[in-house]
Amino acid sequence: MAGFTGGGAGNSANIFITLKPRSERPSAEEVIDRLRPKLQTISGASLYLQPQQDIRVGGRGGNSLYQYTLVSDEVGEVTAWAPKLLAELKQSPVLTDPNSDQQIGGRQTYLTFDRDTAARLGITAKQIDNTLYGAYGQALVSTMYADNNQYHVVMEVAPQYAGEPETLRDLYVRSPGGQMVPLSSFARYETSVAPLAIRHQGPFPSVTLSFGVTRGKSLGDAVKVLENAKAKIGFPATIRAGFAGTAQAFQSSLKDEPILILASLGVIYIVLGMLYENTFHPLTILSTLPSAGVGACLALWVTHTELSLIAIIGVILLIGIVKKNAILMIDFAITAERDHGRSPREAIEEACHLRFRPILMTTMAAMLGAVPLACAAGIGSELRRPLGIAIIGGLALSQLLTLYTTPVVYLALDRLRLSWRRRLGLSLKPAEAAA
């Protein structure tokens, strides 16, 4: 099923195509890859394909998914350099369908008149302006009144001649003496190429380049291609360039991601420190998180899945899921030390034996809950699959490693704590002094 709507200009249009159910066809990217070579053979028009996004961020649309905007103080500068950069991007196999919103195929006509000759003929600039306005400006010259209505009389050149510069030769200007003087006797015209529209970003003229990314490549690869292309053509520093729309929103989210992760880790550390009344045990619990992040990235790499925004959300979810393994062991070990007088080594060893079953049960429950996300094949499964893969990979690796690394970190930090207390001259418990 297909639908049609007009585009932003008279020479463009949009076609929306609804595909068959997901079970009866390949992915949208595979359909686009199959259609793209066939559409490139159509002469007289450029066709660009892009899949409809489940979640679309950024307010700027284009012929492709990602946009890169060039902004300058001068119209001529950005108009001259945008085609050069676009030509360089078209040679890269990383990008698909590079295109530009710049349309410079329009025609413009400059009319230059000889003021001395016009003055000898008694013709002023105002008379020339009135003549041109009457020919091309749709001047209202009269109003006809009927019994029930009124009709405006508009003077203009016949539509079939309005778009031809040669029509200027047939225009006449009335001199003060009443003679009709040909416009061509004291004026000449020049035709040149001009943009159909000059787009702006804020108050400055701009040109937006749109492109897609080849399957298996990421937006980071596209950034490298853009930087290399700019360096190769000697892109001037007077033109400000940057991502816009979806790509800009994605980069902004990734830029703030480290701050958010550090803030979440800080909050976890403070809460755990208040819970255990200790500054070292929270570090033991947080030591389990790197293995989860490594496992998620390995799972994405093995399955050839991009580290998308959804996958990053899965990594953040692992922060809350994985640390429960260490909490189960540390909480039991602390209780054994305080209430039963066990040494740190005996306490953590007993915790590993007795807490192995609940740790394994909770981890398997979380992993099995993410299996439908990772193995789904229905509508929208492309969006959910990276989330499931990241969760399963992170939980699997953390389950294998934290059972061995957590006791080691616990004992190492406990020795560090005792050493610190001895240096400060603080009192130690009998079990601590023996250790």
Side-chain angles (χ1 to χ4, degrees):
M1 183 173 62
F4 167 82
T5 179
N11 61 343
S12 63
N14 300 320
I15 298 178
F16 299 93
I17 301 175
T18 302
L19 301 179
K20 294 180 179 180
R22 183 65 177 85
S23 58
E24 302 178 15
R25 61 170 174 84
S27 64
E29 289 78 9
E30 293 175 341
V31 174
I32 290 176
D33 291 342
R34 189 177 72 246
L35 293 178
R36 183 180 290 116
K38 300 178 181 179
L39 296 177
Q40 291 177 349
T41 60
I42 299 177
S43 60
S46 299
L47 295 96
Y48 306 101
L49 300 173
Q50 60 174 307
Q52 183 67 29
Q53 299 299 306
D54 296 300
I55 297 179
R56 186 176 182 87
V57 294
R60 179 169 301 185
N63 294 329
S64 298
L65 181 59
Y66 301 114
Q67 291 81 42
Y68 192 73
T69 300
L70 313 180
V71 182
S72 177
D73 298 334
E74 299 292 336
V75 177
E77 189 175 33
V78 71
T79 303
W81 282 96
K84 298 178 182 179
L85 181 59
L86 179 62
E88 192 66 28
L89 295 181
K90 288 183 176 180
Q91 300 178 9
S92 173
V94 177
L95 307 182
T96 59
D97 293 337
N99 60 89
S100 171
D101 65 353
Q102 183 183 31
Q103 300 184 23
I104 56 177
R107 292 192 303 171
Q108 63 181 2
T109 301
Y110 285 96
L111 182 66
T112 305
F113 66 93
D114 189 342
R115 293 180 179 270
D116 295 334
T117 303
R120 287 196 300 269
L121 297 174
I123 297 175
T124 62
K126 180 64 175 177
Q127 290 173 309
I128 299 174
D129 182 69
N130 291 338
T131 300
L132 294 175
Y133 181 73
Y136 301 102
Q138 297 182 343
L140 179 64
V141 296
S142 179
T143 303
M144 301 175 61
Y145 297 94
D147 294 337
N148 299 321
N149 206 344
Q150 60 183 11
Y151 303 93
H152 299 292
V153 179
V154 178
M155 180 176 64
E156 64 177 350
V157 172
Q160 61 268 31
Y161 302 112
E164 300 298 331
E166 291 77 9
T167 306
L168 294 170
R169 300 175 182 174
D170 301 326
L171 295 182
Y172 289 80
V173 181
R174 185 182 297 275
S175 68
Q179 295 87 6
M180 301 299 293
V181 180
L183 182 64
S184 59
S185 62
F186 59 87
R188 58 183 178 84
Y189 68 88
E190 296 179 354
T191 302
S192 61
V193 177
L196 297 179
I198 299 178
R199 291 173 171 80
H200 290 73
Q201 180 166 292
F204 304 104
S206 65
V207 174
T208 298
L209 307 180
S210 300
F211 60 89
V213 179
T214 306
R215 282 198 303 162
K217 301 296 183 179
S218 64
L219 185 58
D221 298 324
V223 172
K224 295 179 182 178
V225 171
L226 284 166
E227 295 300 328
N228 294 335
K230 290 167 60 177
K232 185 176 181 179
I233 64 176
F235 201 74
T238 54
I239 298 180
R240 300 176 295 279
F243 284 102
T246 303
Q248 182 186 31
F250 184 76
Q251 280 196 329
S252 299
S253 63
L254 290 183
K255 181 177 64 176
D256 299 333
E257 202 70 33
I259 299 176
L260 295 176
I261 293 177
L262 290 176
S264 63
L265 293 178
V267 172
I268 293 173
Y269 179 83
I270 293 173
V271 172
L272 293 176
M274 295 172 61
L275 176 64
Y276 295 117
E277 299 179 355
N278 190 291
T279 57
F280 290 92
H281 294 321
L283 296 177
T284 306
I285 297 172
L286 293 178
S287 66
T288 61
L289 300 182
S291 61
V294 173
C297 294
L298 286 176
L300 294 172
W301 177 70
V302 170
T303 57
H304 304 286
T305 304
E306 295 182 4
L307 184 62
S308 61
L309 184 61
I310 303 299
I312 294 176
I313 293 175
V315 175
I316 295 176
L317 288 176
L318 288 172
I319 295 177
I321 299 175
V322 169
K323 70 180 190 314
K324 57 87 183 171
N325 292 350
I327 290 177
L328 289 173
M329 287 190 290
I330 300 302
D331 189 69
F332 185 91
I334 292 176
T335 302
E337 287 187 51
R338 291 177 178 176
D339 299 342
H340 304 287
R342 305 288 178 81
S343 66
R345 182 182 183 87
E346 294 172 346
I348 194 64
E349 184 176 353
E350 186 176 0
C352 291
H353 287 291
L354 298 181
R355 291 305 185 188
F356 175 75
R357 181 179 296 177
I359 289 175
L360 184 61
M361 290 173 60
T362 54
T363 301
M364 291 303 298
M367 289 179 61
L368 294 176
V371 168
L373 296 176
C375 301
I379 298 176
S381 60
E382 296 87 352
L383 177 67
R384 301 185 295 269
R385 189 175 296 117
L387 179 63
I389 293 174
I391 293 176
I392 293 175
L395 289 175
L397 188 62
S398 66
Q399 178 67 43
L400 293 175
L401 295 181
T402 55
L403 293 176
Y404 299 98
T405 59
T406 301
V408 174
V409 175
Y410 178 84
L411 294 177
L413 291 178
D414 188 75
R415 294 191 186 97
L416 179 62
R417 179 180 63 86
L418 296 178
S419 175
W420 184 260
R421 291 179 65 88
R422 290 190 180 97
R423 290 183 180 181
L424 296 178
L426 300 177
S427 60
L428 300 175
K429 298 178 181 179
E432 294 177 343

